[in-house]
Amino acid sequence: MPQRHAVTKLASLPPGTGRAFVVAGTRVGLFNVDGRIHAIDDICPHAGASLSDGPLQGKVVSCPWHYADFDVTSGKSLCPPAYSDVKSFPVFVNGDSIEVEL
């Protein structure tokens, strides 16, 4: 059964940034796209890089190792060398707290 987990404060994730967190044993990348927070699996399926270490342009994060692109709003893989999507997770903002449902 899915559970919500408080992860961080909204102020720690300014617009246009991403950060990785371990939530209930899962490495999750949180991304702020124009004030909306999105959460995806932080591990690139191609070679295991941390996606939150890559550049975020709009809603697209690029893997820092081999430049596979992912849509942070859905987890969809947008180009090779990654051919599989990453999981996305529901996000809730309660006051100044960001929560992720796993």
Side-chain angles (χ1 to χ4, degrees):
M1 182 154 136
Q3 286 187 307
R4 286 189 192 182
H5 302 272
V7 178
T8 192
K9 300 292 183 192
L10 192 56
S12 73
L13 196 66
T17 65
R19 284 185 55 200
F21 298 89
V22 176
V23 182
T26 299
R27 191 170 167 99
V28 175
L30 292 181
F31 299 89
N32 185 331
V33 178
D34 297 325
R36 295 210 51 196
I37 308 301
H38 303 278
I40 60 172
D41 185 351
D42 189 54
I43 305 301
C44 180
H46 171 248
S50 172
L51 293 175
S52 61
D53 286 343
L56 178 66
Q57 294 189 11
K59 66 179 188 170
V60 176
V61 67
S62 296
C63 175
W65 290 358
H66 302 110
Y67 309 106
D69 291 337
F70 296 87
D71 182 332
V72 300
T73 67
S74 66
K76 182 163 181 53
S77 173
L78 302 174
C79 69
Y83 291 100
S84 56
D85 301 339
V86 294
K87 186 171 182 165
S88 65
F89 305 99
V91 174
F92 303 89
V93 177
N94 290 318
D96 67 347
S97 179
I98 299 172
E99 299 175 354
V100 175
E101 187 176 274
L102 299 179

